[in-house]
Each structure stands twice: as structure tokens, then as C-alpha cells.
Amino acid sequence: MARFLAPLLLAAASVHSQFIHNQLPVGSSFGVPNENATYDYVVVGGGTAGSVVAARLAQDGRFSVAVVEAGGFYELENGNRSVIPGYDFYSSGPTLAGVNPLIDWEFMTTPQAGGKNISIHYTRGRCLGGSSARNYMVYQRPTVGTMQRWADVVGDQSWTWENVLPYYKQSSTLTPPNTKLRMANTTTYYDASVFGKGPLQVGYSNYIAPFATWVNLGWKQAGDTIRTQGMQSGELLGHSILPSSLDAQSQERSSAQTSYINLAMKATQLTIYTHALAKRILFDSTKTATGVVVETRGLPFTISARREVILSAGAFNSPQLLMVSGVGPAATLQKYHIPVVRNAPGVGQNMEDNPFFAVNVAADLPTGSSYQNNPALFAQAIADYNSDRTGYLTSAGADIISFQKLSNRSELGISAHAKQALSWLPDDWPEAMFWSFAVWIGASFGSLPPDARNYGGIVGSITAPLSRGWVTINSSDTADLPIINPNMLTDPTDQEVAVATVRRIRDLLATDAMKAIAPEGEVFPGPNVTSFEDILSAIQGQYFTFAHASVTNKMGLSNDRMAVVDSKARVFGVNSLRVVDISAFPFLPPGQPQATVYMMGEKIADDILHGESGTSGHESQSMSS
Ligand SMILES: Cc1cc2nc3c(=O)[nH]c(=O)nc-3n(C[C@H](O)[C@H](O)[C@H](O)COP(=O)(O)OP(=O)(O)OC[C@H]3O[C@@H](n4cnc5c(N)ncnc54)[C@H](O)[C@@H]3O)c2cc1C
Ligand SMILES: *[C@@H]1O[C@H](CO)[C@@H](O)[C@H](O)[C@H]1NC(C)=O
Ligand SMILES: *[C@@H]1O[C@H](CO)[C@@H](O)[C@H](O)[C@H]1NC(C)=O
Ligand SMILES: *[C@@H]1O[C@H](CO)[C@@H](O)[C@H](O)[C@H]1NC(C)=O
Ligand SMILES: *[C@@H]1O[C@H](CO)[C@@H](O)[C@H](O)[C@H]1NC(C)=O
Ligand SMILES: *[C@@H]1O[C@H](CO)[C@@H](O)[C@H](O)[C@H]1NC(C)=O
Ligand SMILES: *[C@@H]1O[C@H](CO)[C@@H](O)[C@H](O)[C@H]1NC(C)=O
Ligand SMILES: *[C@@H]1O[C@H](CO)[C@@H](O)[C@H](O)[C@H]1NC(C)=O
């Protein structure tokens, strides 16, 4: 990889894919950016969704397409840290310690009311592939009921499970587990029929934490069902071993860059501007987006779009770019003297996310702590990975996940009020998520284990959160970071479900399977932490996130004044501008979102190629509001 694009490290450049043969660059293709060029489509953000849209539009062959990306290639700028699955937790913790600014935006949240006023680092990838280059790699799709609700709230039945399944399929390829290299004592269920031959590689690591095999048994003993379709076929309730966004052969991360961008570089005319920060979207007098102002090493230039600008800068930067360009809450824009193109009060609002909290036990098995405590064991893991792609470092960490309903378990004590607040949920939409995670979390993600014992953990989250956060601008310049307030765990129902999640983890720890490997029982928060208030206080002290920030440019109906885009991702009230990324979700589906981000990229690219005009169909209505 080191030979790849090496001249780019410090200079910004445009990468013309027609110059790339067999993935090897030819000298003249790099260097001075193509200033003031015009393309049919300009995609802002070469992250998860942006890579999909750009690659599919370019692949069609009729159109010229450019991508504007603030970062570069993570393989060059972060070594193997974003490539090797076992390193995925590096520099994605709650503080900026050790964070590499070449591939991270260095976002910090405001002090969190639901988390003892703690401010946390909020990881987002600043590189081609975006957050798909930084995430924990779990690949999983939502439920049939979730997608029916999506279709209903956006008023477009093309979003039902049946209608989006083809896009999930065409985005991904599943490689079955290597049963020769993986431990044989845990059966992996999967449904190959819901995968196609798409660019994203979905596969299984050649290692499962032994701890997870006991959690698997434990969930069964605690009355949780085994989900035999592997959580890709529209059903989630129960537990399963999940695959990762991983190339099974190389046991390396599969990101939107290694999949879609590499494909496009080989086979299309895509032009990619790296190390190029989008500053502003330009509108003409008819409120039509005509291009993007970009800055590279202090040099501003303009990239023009003949057909459309597609904003794929993610949950924080897409609303920021809209606001600095004049599309957002009028009062906010006026505060920073930004001319209002369109008063859109929903821009930056409605943010949803999944909190992260954990219970730890000491286990009589090797876990992540064993590798932390024993340099020889860790050296062996590196040698195993480097020699034949086996062992501990092939695993991204979350082996077995359970999705459950908790409000109908009377012993967990969820109140009638909270049950009422959750009554809108479809039957198949879980309320809580449980990851088997064989590391120490303790009082804070990233903290050191208290002693040399082997710690394992169960990480919990709530998957139907009612708390809502926001993101807003701190200046009219995208070089200044936006202000981010996830605001998780402030809604009383969310607090009740979170406490019930910890209580349900204790059901698991009480099973014979878990007692066999963790006879001492719970170490953190500890057996004395039993009242609602004490459990909640422990959760809030650990305040952290699964980094699923979403819905900050909500998709919805034209008569919903908080909706920012229509069901084809077109921004209401302006022309030739779409938002295609997780900010445009109408709500956060249960569990891990990346599969759905890829699906959305495929679906909207298909809409564009099949001639949906860039102007929202509800133009007259939305202009009058
Ligand atoms: C630590 C972590 C763990 C996660 N774990 C999982 C998991 O296990 N499974 C799962 O499904 N999901 C997981 N996620 C969530 C998932 O990765 C994200 O939701 C998804 O990648 C978001 O895709 P996106 O296209 O919306 O944004 P991104 O992929 O973040 O893309 C946005 C892109 O826009 C670029 N950009 C932004 N502003 C500008 C600008 N002004 N000019 C130019 N470029 C710009 C960025 O650099 C970036 O490349 C995790 C996320 C993180 C951070
Ligand atoms: C691009 O446009 C900018 C501003 O309009 C101008 O300063 C610059 O010289 C132009 N660059 C080229 C290469 O034409
Ligand atoms: C958090 O900060 C607010 C505002 O400064 C303050 O009122 C509140 O008491 C603080 N809460 C905690 C738990 O420290
Ligand atoms: C599965 O096999 C591994 C490796 O031999 C072992 O460490 C683990 O305890 C086994 N799990 C169960 C549930 O038997
Ligand atoms: C990752 O890169 C480092 C630094 O170049 C190297 O020492 C190591 O062997 C590589 N592989 C693994 C598995 O860490
Ligand atoms: C709770 O509801 C879910 C979904 O309807 C169902 O699968 C589960 O069996 C119920 N659990 C209990 C304890 O009733
Ligand atoms: C907002 O900008 C002000 C002044 O430039 C700065 O002091 C402050 O830290 C910024 N806030 C955030 C959350 O970045
Ligand atoms: C539980 O015990 C630990 C260790 O003795 C102590 O630090 C903690 O404050 C106790 N918590 C509660 C809620 O009693």
C-alpha cells in the first residue's frame, strides 16, 4: 500500500481514475488540483454513502462525477490501524488522547446532561471511506417492521423491506465462515440468499473470543432465542454471531473506499479531490445548487455541477454545510450573518444515537485483558496475523449480539408510562442491544483494568431511544467545528430501558454457562449497585456512544416542517441538491446502521440514474411554508 499515492501525503490532489491501471498510479495523474472544473455531479464527502453514490453514478458511463473529500487515504495516513480488525478501537475512545487528526475530525461534544456533564470525543472518519474506515465493523440490517415504518413516515412505499432488499443485496457480498480456522464449538447461522455480488465484503473473522462462546450459551439459558437467519433477513429478536465489513480472504477491513472507490478508480471516469474541504454550496437566483466552494491548503476554488450537488458529509458536517450555505434555521443563520436561502428549521435537529454502557466480569479465559497484560501474547497475535491472517487480531471485537424486547418482562420493572412511550414500536423492533465484548470497560471506555485478571464484558444499548440531540454551527466557516450535543439518556423512558438492560445482563451473568467462566460474578458496576438510581448513576458515569449519530437532516413529508429532505433525498425548497448519508434517515433503525447507509446510497443513485429530477416533488408546498 505504501507505494500507493505516496505523493499525495501532503499535497491535495485530484485523482483521475482513467489514469489508474491495476490500481497503480501513473505519475501524471497526481499533483495540481483541477481548479474551477465542471462536472455533471459533484459529491461532497467521500465517506460511506458518498462513495456508493459517486461510484454508481460514474459507473453508468453517461456522466462526469467528482468527489470532494476533506481527508485522504487512511491506509497511508493511519498505517494498519484502520485496516486490521483487532485495532478498530484505537483512537475512537471518549477522549482525544492518541487520536490521529489526519483521519479524525476531533469532534468533542458539549457537556452531556444525561452523562454527568461529561464531554466526549465523537469519532468520525476524515478520509475516503469516512466512518466506514473507523467503525467497529458489525454488519447487520434492520427489520421488516422498521422499514415499513420508514416507508410510512416518508410517504413512499419504495422504502419497504421488500423494496429495499435488492439494494442491500447489490451493495454486498457474503463469504461464509472459514470453519477450518474458526473454533468449531459455536454454530454460525447465515442466510446467503439475502446477499448479492456487491462491492462491500461481508465476512467472518478467523477468531471468536472464547468468552463469546459462553455468552452464546448463556443467552440460551437465559431464555433468549437463537436468531437462525443471522440478522440480515429482516428479523433481529434473539442472539446470533454476526459478520463484519471484512474481506474474508485478507482478513482486512472492507470500507466504502476499498470497495466502492477502488472499484470506481479501476473502471470509471470518477475524479476524486482529496484533502479538499468543502466550504459552501453555491446557489443561483432560482435557488438551484450550481457548485461547491472548496479549499485546499488555503487555496479556494470552485467545482461546478451541471446536474446536481450531492451532500454526503455525514451526520455533523452535512447539516453544517447546509447551514453555512444558507439552508437551516433562519435565526441561526442570521446570528452568523449568513444570507438565508431557505428557512429550514429541521437542519441539525432530531439527532438520534445509541448510548454505550457495560457490565464487567473477571473470567477464567483469555480475553482482551490477557493481550493487554501480556506483551508476549500480544506479540504472538501480531505474528499470527502477519503470517497467515489468523488469531486475535482478525476479530473486530463484537462477536455475538442479542436484540431483545424488555418492556414486556415484568420482572425488569419498566413503568406503565415508559411502556406507553414505547407502544409505537413495531413488534419486531427491539428495545435493547447486548454485545459480548471480551475487554475491560469499567468506569470509562478505554480505562485500564484494575489488576491483571482477564476481564470480559457485556455492552448494552437502547435501540429505540426517545432522547433527541442537535448539531449547530459555531461560525459561518466549515473550518470551525460544529457544536454537537447528542443529549442521550435524558428522556426518562430511555433511562428506564437502560437500567432494565443492565438488569437483563445480570440475568445472563446468573446462568450456569456464565458462572462456569466467571464464578466471581460482576466486578463493575458491582453487586452492591442495585437500586434504580445507583444503576443509572453508573451508566451515566460511563457515558459513551456507539457513534450512530443520525437524522440531523430528517427525511419526511413536505408538510412536516422539521423534515429537510423528501423520500428521494432532495432538499425541500431548493433545486438540484440532495443529502445522501445517515443525516437523511427519517429515524435511527435498531442496531448498527452501516448496512442501511450503503443501501441508501445504492437506492438514491438508482433514483438519480432513473431520471428522478433534482427538484423535490413538493416544491410549491414547501416553498410556501
Ligand atoms: C467508532 C465508530 C464505530 C461504529 N461502529 C459501527 C458498527 O460496528 N457497525 C455499523 O453498522 N456502524 C457503525 N458505526 C456507524 C457507521 O460507521 C456510520 O453511521 C456510517 O459510516 C456513516 O456514514 P455517512 O456516509 O453518513 O458518513 P461518513 O462515512 O462519516 O462520511 C462523511 C464523509 O464526508 C467527509 N466530509 C465531511 N465534511 C466535509 C467537508 N466539509 N468537505 C469535504 N469532505 C467532508 C468526511 O471526511 C467523511 O469522509 C460506527 C461509527 C463509528 C465512528
Ligand atoms: C479559479 O477561480 C478562482 C476564483 O474565481 C480564481 O481566483 C482562480 O484563479 C481560478 N483558477 C483557475 C486555475 O482558473
Ligand atoms: C451540569 O452542569 C449544569 C450547568 O452548568 C449544572 O446546573 C448541573 O448541576 C451540572 N450537573 C452535574 C451532574 O454536575
Ligand atoms: C469453545 O472452544 C474454545 C477453544 O477451545 C474454548 O476456549 C471455549 O471454552 C469453548 N466454549 C464452550 C462454550 O465450550
Ligand atoms: C502493523 O504495522 C506495524 C507498524 O508498521 C507493524 O509493526 C506490524 O507488524 C503491522 N501488523 C500488525 C499485525 O500489527
Ligand atoms: C416480548 O415481546 C416480544 C415481541 O413481541 C416477544 O418475542 C417476546 O416473547 C415477549 N417476551 C415476553 C417475556 O413476553
Ligand atoms: C465556538 O467558538 C468559540 C469562539 O471562537 C470558541 O471559544 C468555542 O470553544 C467554540 N465552541 C465549540 C463547541 O467549538
Ligand atoms: C459499591 O462498592 C464499591 C466498592 O466497595 C464502592 O466503591 C461503591 O461506592 C459502592 N456503590 C454503591 C452504590 O454502594
Side-chain angles (χ1 to χ4, degrees), residues 276-288:
L277 183 72
K279 305 280 282 189
R280 205 154 33 92
I281 299 156
L282 297 170
F283 294 97
D284 69 11
S285 59
T286 66
K287 304 192 182 198
T288 299

PDB file of all heavy atoms in Angstrom, residues 276-288:
ATOM      1  N   ALA A 276      -9.467  18.149   0.373  1.00  0.00           N
ATOM      2  CA  ALA A 276     -10.191  19.305  -0.153  1.00  0.00           C
ATOM      3  C   ALA A 276     -11.419  19.531   0.722  1.00  0.00           C
ATOM      4  O   ALA A 276     -12.320  18.683   0.767  1.00  0.00           O
ATOM      5  CB  ALA A 276     -10.595  19.045  -1.597  1.00  0.00           C
ATOM      6  N   LEU A 277     -11.434  20.635   1.443  1.00  0.00           N
ATOM      7  CA  LEU A 277     -12.533  20.926   2.366  1.00  0.00           C
ATOM      8  C   LEU A 277     -13.616  21.720   1.644  1.00  0.00           C
ATOM      9  O   LEU A 277     -13.341  22.811   1.123  1.00  0.00           O
ATOM     10  CB  LEU A 277     -12.002  21.746   3.553  1.00  0.00           C
ATOM     11  CG  LEU A 277     -13.021  22.074   4.642  1.00  0.00           C
ATOM     12  CD1 LEU A 277     -13.384  20.838   5.457  1.00  0.00           C
ATOM     13  CD2 LEU A 277     -12.483  23.169   5.571  1.00  0.00           C
ATOM     14  N   ALA A 278     -14.827  21.178   1.618  1.00  0.00           N
ATOM     15  CA  ALA A 278     -15.948  21.942   1.050  1.00  0.00           C
ATOM     16  C   ALA A 278     -16.311  23.057   2.024  1.00  0.00           C
ATOM     17  O   ALA A 278     -16.467  22.833   3.222  1.00  0.00           O
ATOM     18  CB  ALA A 278     -17.141  21.026   0.815  1.00  0.00           C
ATOM     19  N   LYS A 279     -16.414  24.286   1.499  1.00  0.00           N
ATOM     20  CA  LYS A 279     -16.692  25.438   2.356  1.00  0.00           C
ATOM     21  C   LYS A 279     -18.149  25.882   2.245  1.00  0.00           C
ATOM     22  O   LYS A 279     -18.703  26.426   3.193  1.00  0.00           O
ATOM     23  CB  LYS A 279     -15.804  26.623   1.943  1.00  0.00           C
ATOM     24  CG  LYS A 279     -14.320  26.295   1.928  1.00  0.00           C
ATOM     25  CD  LYS A 279     -13.712  26.326   3.293  1.00  0.00           C
ATOM     26  CE  LYS A 279     -13.459  27.746   3.729  1.00  0.00           C
ATOM     27  NZ  LYS A 279     -12.658  27.756   4.979  1.00  0.00           N
ATOM     28  N   ARG A 280     -18.728  25.684   1.082  1.00  0.00           N
ATOM     29  CA  ARG A 280     -20.038  26.274   0.868  1.00  0.00           C
ATOM     30  C   ARG A 280     -20.641  25.696  -0.405  1.00  0.00           C
ATOM     31  O   ARG A 280     -19.919  25.441  -1.373  1.00  0.00           O
ATOM     32  CB  ARG A 280     -19.854  27.791   0.668  1.00  0.00           C
ATOM     33  CG  ARG A 280     -21.001  28.668   1.002  1.00  0.00           C
ATOM     34  CD  ARG A 280     -20.516  30.087   1.370  1.00  0.00           C
ATOM     35  NE  ARG A 280     -19.336  30.560   0.669  1.00  0.00           N
ATOM     36  CZ  ARG A 280     -19.359  31.264  -0.469  1.00  0.00           C
ATOM     37  NH1 ARG A 280     -20.485  31.565  -1.054  1.00  0.00           N
ATOM     38  NH2 ARG A 280     -18.220  31.681  -1.014  1.00  0.00           N
ATOM     39  N   ILE A 281     -21.968  25.525  -0.396  1.00  0.00           N
ATOM     40  CA  ILE A 281     -22.686  25.156  -1.617  1.00  0.00           C
ATOM     41  C   ILE A 281     -23.166  26.458  -2.248  1.00  0.00           C
ATOM     42  O   ILE A 281     -23.660  27.346  -1.542  1.00  0.00           O
ATOM     43  CB  ILE A 281     -23.893  24.259  -1.283  1.00  0.00           C
ATOM     44  CG1 ILE A 281     -23.409  22.972  -0.615  1.00  0.00           C
ATOM     45  CG2 ILE A 281     -24.724  23.941  -2.521  1.00  0.00           C
ATOM     46  CD1 ILE A 281     -24.459  22.313   0.235  1.00  0.00           C
ATOM     47  N   LEU A 282     -22.996  26.579  -3.556  1.00  0.00           N
ATOM     48  CA  LEU A 282     -23.417  27.810  -4.251  1.00  0.00           C
ATOM     49  C   LEU A 282     -24.823  27.628  -4.822  1.00  0.00           C
ATOM     50  O   LEU A 282     -25.139  26.571  -5.378  1.00  0.00           O
ATOM     51  CB  LEU A 282     -22.438  28.120  -5.383  1.00  0.00           C
ATOM     52  CG  LEU A 282     -21.001  28.424  -4.944  1.00  0.00           C
ATOM     53  CD1 LEU A 282     -20.074  28.476  -6.155  1.00  0.00           C
ATOM     54  CD2 LEU A 282     -20.954  29.745  -4.167  1.00  0.00           C
ATOM     55  N   PHE A 283     -25.657  28.671  -4.673  1.00  0.00           N
ATOM     56  CA  PHE A 283     -26.995  28.664  -5.271  1.00  0.00           C
ATOM     57  C   PHE A 283     -27.107  29.844  -6.233  1.00  0.00           C
ATOM     58  O   PHE A 283     -26.556  30.914  -5.961  1.00  0.00           O
ATOM     59  CB  PHE A 283     -28.071  28.821  -4.184  1.00  0.00           C
ATOM     60  CG  PHE A 283     -28.151  27.663  -3.241  1.00  0.00           C
ATOM     61  CD1 PHE A 283     -27.498  27.694  -2.006  1.00  0.00           C
ATOM     62  CD2 PHE A 283     -28.890  26.525  -3.563  1.00  0.00           C
ATOM     63  CE1 PHE A 283     -27.575  26.622  -1.123  1.00  0.00           C
ATOM     64  CE2 PHE A 283     -28.970  25.445  -2.687  1.00  0.00           C
ATOM     65  CZ  PHE A 283     -28.309  25.491  -1.465  1.00  0.00           C
ATOM     66  N   ASP A 284     -27.851  29.662  -7.317  1.00  0.00           N
ATOM     67  CA  ASP A 284     -28.134  30.810  -8.187  1.00  0.00           C
ATOM     68  C   ASP A 284     -29.438  31.470  -7.735  1.00  0.00           C
ATOM     69  O   ASP A 284     -30.025  31.085  -6.715  1.00  0.00           O
ATOM     70  CB  ASP A 284     -28.141  30.397  -9.666  1.00  0.00           C
ATOM     71  CG  ASP A 284     -29.324  29.502 -10.022  1.00  0.00           C
ATOM     72  OD1 ASP A 284     -30.263  29.364  -9.192  1.00  0.00           O
ATOM     73  OD2 ASP A 284     -29.318  28.938 -11.134  1.00  0.00           O
ATOM     74  N   SER A 285     -29.913  32.443  -8.496  1.00  0.00           N
ATOM     75  CA  SER A 285     -31.079  33.225  -8.057  1.00  0.00           C
ATOM     76  C   SER A 285     -32.363  32.392  -8.025  1.00  0.00           C
ATOM     77  O   SER A 285     -33.337  32.764  -7.384  1.00  0.00           O
ATOM     78  CB  SER A 285     -31.257  34.433  -8.973  1.00  0.00           C
ATOM     79  OG  SER A 285     -31.432  33.951 -10.301  1.00  0.00           O
ATOM     80  N   THR A 286     -32.360  31.228  -8.683  1.00  0.00           N
ATOM     81  CA  THR A 286     -33.549  30.371  -8.630  1.00  0.00           C
ATOM     82  C   THR A 286     -33.424  29.308  -7.529  1.00  0.00           C
ATOM     83  O   THR A 286     -34.159  28.335  -7.511  1.00  0.00           O
ATOM     84  CB  THR A 286     -33.781  29.663  -9.982  1.00  0.00           C
ATOM     85  OG1 THR A 286     -32.687  28.747 -10.209  1.00  0.00           O
ATOM     86  CG2 THR A 286     -33.838  30.662 -11.135  1.00  0.00           C
ATOM     87  N   LYS A 287     -32.470  29.506  -6.622  1.00  0.00           N
ATOM     88  CA  LYS A 287     -32.219  28.561  -5.515  1.00  0.00           C
ATOM     89  C   LYS A 287     -31.814  27.181  -6.033  1.00  0.00           C
ATOM     90  O   LYS A 287     -32.145  26.151  -5.447  1.00  0.00           O
ATOM     91  CB  LYS A 287     -33.437  28.453  -4.595  1.00  0.00           C
ATOM     92  CG  LYS A 287     -33.871  29.809  -4.053  1.00  0.00           C
ATOM     93  CD  LYS A 287     -34.876  29.688  -2.938  1.00  0.00           C
ATOM     94  CE  LYS A 287     -35.281  31.098  -2.489  1.00  0.00           C
ATOM     95  NZ  LYS A 287     -35.896  31.178  -1.218  1.00  0.00           N
ATOM     96  N   THR A 288     -31.117  27.183  -7.156  1.00  0.00           N
ATOM     97  CA  THR A 288     -30.599  25.941  -7.721  1.00  0.00           C
ATOM     98  C   THR A 288     -29.120  25.826  -7.325  1.00  0.00           C
ATOM     99  O   THR A 288     -28.357  26.783  -7.500  1.00  0.00           O
ATOM    100  CB  THR A 288     -30.730  25.961  -9.260  1.00  0.00           C
ATOM    101  OG1 THR A 288     -32.120  26.081  -9.573  1.00  0.00           O
ATOM    102  CG2 THR A 288     -30.153  24.700  -9.892  1.00  0.00           C
TER     103      THR A 288
END
